[in-house]
């Protein structure tokens, strides 16, 4: 799953330096927000699955991943456990906040 962010309108309105700063902020803030939402939506028994969420930001791409080897069984289910698609719920919340994240990145530069 991924969130695609369209900053084409910002590109037209901002000079290169400011635009690049806004892009960096939006990618970082969206990725960190997504990690927080994944942790919030994650089912918790021992807390290992929740605490195994991490982020990686490389260039214009931010990734949230889970290093727990059993995450796939939680998300897609298995014979003794129904699926719990918490990443999708987290993604829905993140998508609803993207415009606000963009606005914050722009407004913190006084624009």
């Amino acid at each position: 799953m991924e969130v695609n962010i369209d900053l084409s309108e910002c590109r037209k309105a901002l000079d290169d330096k400011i635009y690049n700063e806004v892009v960096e902020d939006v990618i970082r803030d969206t990725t960190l927000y997504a990690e927080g939402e994944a942790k919030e939506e994650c089912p918790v028994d021992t807390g290992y699955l929740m605490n195994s969420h991490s982020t990686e930001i490389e260039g214009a791409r931010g990734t949230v991943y889970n290093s727990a080897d059993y995450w796939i069984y939680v998300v897609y289910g298995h014979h003794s456990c129904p699926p719990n698609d918490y990443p999708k719920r987290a993604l829905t919340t993140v998508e609803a906040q993207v415009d606000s994240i963009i606005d914050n990145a722009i407004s913190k530069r006084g624009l």
Side-chain angles (χ1 to χ4, degrees):
M1 290 185 240
E2 60 185 43
V3 175
N4 292 305
I5 301 171
D6 181 4
L7 294 171
S8 58
E9 292 301 314
C10 292
R11 182 72 190 114
K12 295 174 189 174
L14 303 173
D15 67 39
D16 288 345
K17 182 181 183 298
I18 300 288
Y19 174 75
N20 290 336
E21 291 172 0
V22 167
V23 169
E24 287 178 17
D25 283 359
V26 169
I27 290 168
R28 182 193 63 243
D29 294 350
T30 302
T31 303
L32 293 174
Y33 185 69
E35 178 186 13
E37 285 302 308
K39 288 179 176 182
E40 185 75 25
E41 289 291 337
C42 180
V44 177
D45 184 18
T46 65
Y48 182 76
L49 182 68
M50 179 185 67
N51 292 322
S52 294
H53 288 89
S54 298
T55 60
E56 183 176 289
I57 300 172
E58 189 173 314
R61 178 178 294 269
T63 304
V64 177
Y65 62 92
N66 193 297
S67 60
D69 55 355
Y70 61 90
W71 73 266
I72 196 163
Y73 301 113
V74 174
V75 173
Y76 296 106
H78 60 88
H79 61 85
S80 64
C81 183
N84 184 333
D85 198 358
Y86 73 90
K88 185 175 183 178
R89 292 191 306 275
L91 185 63
T92 299
T93 301
V94 171
E95 288 174 333
Q97 293 301 314
V98 166
D99 287 342
S100 177
I101 292 169
I102 293 169
D103 289 345
N104 288 339
I106 292 170
S107 66
K108 85 178 202 182
R109 286 166 179 76
L111 303 172

